[in-house]
Amino acid sequence: MNNENFNLSEKLVSSSYARQGLQARRGHEQLIRVLLQQGKCPEEGWSESTIELFLNELAVMDSNNFLGNCGVGEREGRVASSLVARRHYRLIHGIGRSGDIAAVQPKAAGSSLLNKITNSVVLDVLKFTGVRSVSSCFVVPMATGMSLTLCFLTLRHRRPGARYILWPRIDQKSCFKSMVTAGFEPVVIENVLEGDELRTNMEEVERKIEELGAKNILCVHSTTSCFAPRVPDRLEELSVLCAKHEIPHIVNNAYGMQSSKCMHLIQQGARVGRIDAFVQSLDKNFMVPVGGAIIAGFDESFIKEISRASASPSLDVLITLLTLGASGYKKLLSERKELYGHLAQELKALAERYGERLLHTPHNPISLAMSLNHLQTQSNAAVTQLGSMLFTRQVSGARVVPLGVEQTVSGHTFNGFMSHADSYPCPYLNAASAIGITKEDITLCIKRLDKCLKSLRKEDAAEKSESVSPTEDLKD
C-alpha cells in the first residue's frame, strides 16, 4: 500500500497500528531501494516475505497482469494453469526480445527489470568470488554445453574462415558436442601425466597452432573445474599463447565459481593474456534447478554480442542470492573448502585400509580420486559393479572409472573414456566436495563405500576358495 492508502486505513483501525504497519512496510521497501540503487548482492539475506513482496511488485508491472489489459496478439502471456502461473510468480512474458536476450521487453517491464537486476547481482558475485576485473555477464536459460555453443557461434561472425577449436581433453560429452553442434572441428589435445595429475600439454597446443595456422583456429576451449585426476588447465599459459597469436579463448568454468582457485586462474589469465568469455552453470554453483548458465567476460561489447527466453533461471538465482545474501553465499563457499579437506582425509584413511591410495591431485580444488587397483585385478566388471552398488545404496555423484573404456562421441573415438587420457595407470573412484555438501553426506558416503568394498572383497575371496582344485585341498 502507498502512503495515501495507509492514511485511509487510519479511519478503519487505530492510527498507531496503521503507522506501525507503514513502518514495517518501509523496512521491506528500504531493502528493495538499496538493491535497485546499488545492483549488488545484499550482504545479509532477505526474508521470504521481502522477496515475495518484491516479486509481486515486479509481476504487476507486466502487461499480462494489468487489470484492464485487452490482449489481441499471438503472445499475450496467457497461462492455462493457475499452478503454473503461481510457480512463476505470474512473470510469464519471459525476458528479452526476438533475437536479443538482453533487450527490454515492452510488454514486460517487471520481467525485464528482474533480468537486469539478476545480471547485476550475479556480476557482483563473480567479482567477490575472485574475478575482480570481469566487466559484463548475463544469465541464459540454457545449460553449460549450449551456452558454450552460443559463444562459438558468436565467434564465427568474427572469424568466418576458422574451422578448428583447440580443446585440451576433458571427458565430458556436452563439452565436445558444444563444438560439433556449432559446426566446428574439435582438435583434441591429449593431456600429459605429471605424477598422478593429468595436465595441459602446452607443447602440443603450440605445435597445433603452428600446424593449422592461427587464422584457421576459432578459439582455444579450456576447462577449470573437472574430475580428478585431471586438474584445471594451465589458464595463464594458454591465455598468454592466445594473446600472442590473436586467438580467442573460451573457458568452461562449469562448477568453478565455488572454488577460489578456479576463479583466481580466470582472473590471472585475463590479466596476463586473453580470455574472451567464461561460462558457468547455475545449478552447480547456486543450488537451483538445472537449466541455466552465466556467460561472462572482460569485453562488454563481445558479451552483448553473444546475448527471448524463459525468466525461470533468472528468477531462481535471484531468489537464491537474495535469500542467502553475500555473507550466506561466502559461508557456503568456506564450508565447502573446509569439507574438501575432511573428505580427503576420510577417503585417504579408507583407501589405506584396502591397500589403495588417494591420488595426489593438489591442483584440483573440488574433486578427489581414490585408486581401485585391487578391484581391477579381479576384472573390469568388479570396478563397474562398485559403481552400481553405490548407486543402489543411494550414494549419488560418486563416479567409478574403469580402464580401457572406448566411447565414440559425434564421430570421434575416445580411448580410456571418462579418465581424460588414453591409458591412465589405474582405475579409480571420484568424489567431490561441491557447494552444499555436509559432513553427514561424507560420513554416510564413507560408511556405505566401506561396506561395498568389504562385500566385494568377500566375494573375491569366496570365488578364489571355490576355484581351488580337490588335489590342492589334499595337499593342504
Side-chain angles (χ1 to χ4, degrees):
M1 290 197 295
N2 56 29
N3 287 343
E4 184 180 353
N5 286 338
F6 270 108
N7 290 335
L8 291 172
S9 71
E10 291 181 357
K11 297 178 180 179
L12 302 173
V13 297
S14 166
S15 60
S16 62
Y17 297 161
R19 282 195 297 272
Q20 190 176 36
L22 177 59
Q23 288 171 357
R25 168 82 183 205
R26 283 175 176 166
H28 294 292
E29 290 176 342
Q30 175 61 21
L31 293 173
I32 296 170
R33 186 179 302 113
V34 171
L35 175 65
L36 294 173
Q37 285 174 343
Q38 299 180 354
K40 294 183 176 181
C41 186
E43 186 60 32
E44 301 299 328
W46 289 6
S47 67
E48 286 189 8
S49 57
T50 303
I51 295 171
E52 290 187 329
L53 173 65
F54 179 46
L55 296 177
N56 286 326
E57 294 275 354
L58 292 177
V60 297
M61 295 171 68
D62 283 6
S63 64
N64 60 291
N65 298 313
F66 292 174
L67 293 178
N69 188 61
C70 175
V72 292
E74 86 292 347
R75 180 181 171 279
E76 295 298 332
R78 300 183 181 103
V79 176
S81 168
S82 61
L83 183 62
V84 171
R86 290 197 305 275
R87 176 178 177 266
H88 293 274
Y89 282 89
R90 294 174 290 113
L91 293 158
I92 308 302
H93 272 292
I95 56 176
R97 302 192 73 180
S98 181
D100 188 351
I101 197 173
V104 173
Q105 169 57 243
K107 293 180 181 179
S111 292
S112 297
L113 183 56
L114 171 94
N115 183 39
K116 298 288 186 183
I117 292 168
T118 302
N119 290 341
S120 182
V121 169
V122 168
L123 184 66
D124 181 47
V125 176
L126 286 169
K127 288 180 176 180
F128 74 61
T129 51
V131 187
R132 297 180 303 280
S133 60
V134 62
S135 65
S136 183
C137 76
F138 66 99
V139 172
V140 286
M142 301 182 292
T144 310
M146 284 304 297
S147 299
L148 288 165
T149 297
L150 189 60
C151 294
F152 302 142
L153 289 171
T154 304
L155 283 175
R156 167 177 276 162
H157 298 295
R158 295 191 171 194
R159 299 173 72 83
R163 286 181 52 199
Y164 306 103
I165 296 177
L166 301 190
W167 180 62
R169 178 175 169 178
I170 168 83
D171 286 358
Q172 212 276 339
K173 290 181 183 178
S174 68
C175 302
F176 192 80
K177 289 181 176 181
S178 69
M179 299 178 283
V180 175
T181 301
F184 295 97
E185 184 178 328
V187 177
V188 182
I189 308 295
E190 292 292 341
N191 300 302
V192 291
L193 186 64
E194 296 181 9
D196 287 332
E197 295 183 327
L198 289 165
R199 306 210 67 187
T200 316
N201 188 339
M202 291 303 302
E203 289 183 6
E204 181 65 7
V205 174
E206 292 195 60
R207 194 181 70 79
K208 284 296 182 183
I209 292 173
E210 293 298 325
E211 177 188 323
L212 300 172
K215 69 178 185 301
N216 297 315
I217 298 169
L218 181 83
C219 66
V220 171
H221 175 194
S222 64
T223 304
T224 55
S225 54
C226 53
F227 294 117
R230 195 195 191 280
V231 300
D233 280 319
R234 299 181 188 271
L235 246 61
E236 288 186 47
E237 294 164 62
L238 286 172
S239 299
V240 169
L241 200 60
C242 286
K244 176 184 174 183
H245 294 281
E246 298 183 344
I247 297 172
H249 185 189
I250 305 295
V251 181
N252 175 8
N253 188 44
Y255 49 97
M257 272 189 74
Q258 57 193 281
S259 163
S260 57
K261 189 168 192 173
C262 290
M263 297 300 272
H264 176 72
L265 286 173
I266 294 170
Q267 173 63 30
Q268 287 298 100
R271 186 182 67 81
V272 302
R274 175 172 181 171
I275 291 178
D276 294 73
F278 57 103
V279 178
Q280 35 275 306
S281 164
L282 288 183
D283 61 285
K284 296 179 183 74
N285 293 294
F286 295 104
M287 296 184 291
V288 296
V290 174
I294 303 162
I295 299 176
F298 307 89
D299 177 357
E300 192 168 349
S301 65
F302 177 63
I303 299 304
K304 281 185 177 178
E305 195 178 330
I306 300 173
S307 52
R308 183 158 35 212
S310 165
S312 284
S314 293
L315 183 60
D316 292 338
V317 74
L318 182 62
I319 290 173
T320 300
L321 287 172
L322 291 179
T323 300
L324 291 171
S327 61
Y329 190 64
K330 289 174 184 175
K331 184 170 180 284
L332 284 172
L333 298 182
S334 177
E335 288 172 352
R336 184 213 70 79
K337 196 170 185 178
E338 184 180 330
L339 287 170
Y340 173 85
H342 178 62
L343 176 61
Q345 288 177 355
E346 293 294 305
L347 267 181
K348 184 179 180 183
L350 180 66
E352 288 172 353
R353 288 205 297 274
Y354 288 90
E356 302 290 353
R357 65 190 184 89
L358 182 68
L359 300 183
H360 185 60
T361 56
H363 290 95
N364 194 317
I366 299 173
S367 177
L368 295 159
M370 166 186 156
S371 69
L372 297 174
N373 282 312
H374 284 68
L375 288 185
Q376 185 67 36
T377 58
Q378 296 170 232
S379 67
N380 247 6
V383 177
T384 54
Q385 186 184 351
L386 175 61
S388 300
M389 292 172 74
L390 288 169
F391 185 76
T392 56
R393 286 158 180 77
Q394 298 182 348
V395 177
S396 62
R399 181 173 173 270
V400 171
V401 181
L403 296 179
V405 175
E406 187 177 284
Q407 176 82 48
T408 300
V409 182
S410 299
H412 184 93
T413 300
F414 292 89
N415 296 315
F417 190 72
M418 295 196 301
S419 67
H420 323 289
D422 283 348
S423 54
Y424 193 75
C426 68
Y428 56 86
L429 174 140
N430 280 130
S433 176
I435 190 168
I437 193 172
T438 65
K439 201 167 187 177
E440 290 72 27
D441 289 331
I442 295 171
T443 301
L444 273 175
C445 170
I446 296 298
K447 182 179 178 182
R448 291 170 184 174
L449 176 57
D450 187 20
K451 285 184 177 179
C452 291
L453 290 171
K454 196 174 293 181
S455 174
L456 287 169
R457 178 186 276 180
K458 285 180 180 178
E459 285 181 21
D460 183 46
E463 286 178 11
K464 287 178 179 176
S465 175
E466 289 173 6
S467 66
V468 175
S469 66
T471 56
E472 287 175 324
D473 284 339
L474 290 171
K475 287 176 184 176
D476 291 339

